[in-house]
Amino acid sequence: MAEDLHITTGSKEEQYQSLLPQIQGLLEGEADQTANLANVCAALKQQFGWLWVGFYLVKPNAAAGADELVLGPFQGPVACTRIRFGKGVCGSCWKEGKTLIVPDVEKFPGHIACSSLSKSEIVIPLKDRERVWGVLDVDSQELDQFDETDQIFLEKISSWLRP
Ligand code: SME
């Protein structure tokens, strides 16, 4: 596996097409979850330069008597550490079990503003069969930055990840 990521220019789809096999290479033969999630964040952040790319993982909170999302590997500014089921874009994605694209975070009721710089967002559920075990969250400083192309490719990358 090459340690250096090859960064490309071109359309968004061309950038994903170049990045995907490189991410596959990074994941190949490595079973450690933290290592893999960390490298996926780094690769996405390096290629696209988004404000924030990271994972929240479903974990038990004994005191609350419920599972919640806990901050995992990420790239970008410091972020909120815990998100409850159904709260914010991430908690809603967990609850609904489907990708959420938010063109303007200010228009999403209950959006959790970890950074005032974030303007648009996409959140992808990480699934083990039907069970959501975490989410991949990507934030942009620009409005309306995410579309079906991001959904398709980010869902593909997410399908390679294991709980
Ligand atoms: N905006 C997210 C919170 C996570 S941060 O963006 C990193 C939400 O509403 O769930």
Side-chain angles (χ1 to χ4, degrees), residues 38-125:
N39 260 342
V40 168
C41 295
L44 289 169
K45 175 91 167 133
Q46 260 186 280
Q47 175 62 52
F48 292 103
W50 290 313
L51 173 70
W52 199 90
V53 182
F55 292 93
Y56 282 91
L57 304 177
V58 175
K59 295 192 175 181
N61 178 335
D67 287 351
E68 59 191 5
L69 288 172
V70 182
L71 184 63
F74 72 95
Q75 295 260 324
V78 293
C80 344
T81 55
R82 290 171 188 272
I83 298 173
R84 279 181 287 145
F85 188 70
K87 299 291 175 193
V89 188
C90 292
S92 301
C93 172
W94 174 19
K95 186 174 178 181
E96 292 174 30
K98 60 173 194 170
T99 295
L100 296 180
I101 295 174
V102 182
D104 180 350
V105 295
E106 285 188 13
K107 296 196 174 130
F108 187 95
H111 167 258
I112 300 165
C114 289
S115 165
S116 57
L117 295 174
S118 173
K119 297 274 189 297
S120 58
E121 183 165 1
I122 182 169
V123 186
I124 294 95

Side-chain angles (χ1 to χ4, degrees), residues 121-141:
E121 183 165 1
I122 182 169
V123 186
I124 294 95
L126 307 175
K127 287 186 179 180
D128 180 24
R129 295 199 174 89
E130 281 315 295
R131 185 180 68 93
V132 177
W133 58 273
V135 301
L136 167 60
D137 180 17
V138 183
D139 288 60
S140 169
Q141 275 179 262

Side-chain angles (χ1 to χ4, degrees), residues 13-27:
E13 179 159 358
E14 284 165 344
Q15 293 184 58
Y16 276 114
Q17 294 291 10
S18 157
L19 191 62
L20 255 65
Q22 298 188 75
I23 289 183
Q24 240 173 345
L26 289 165
L27 299 176

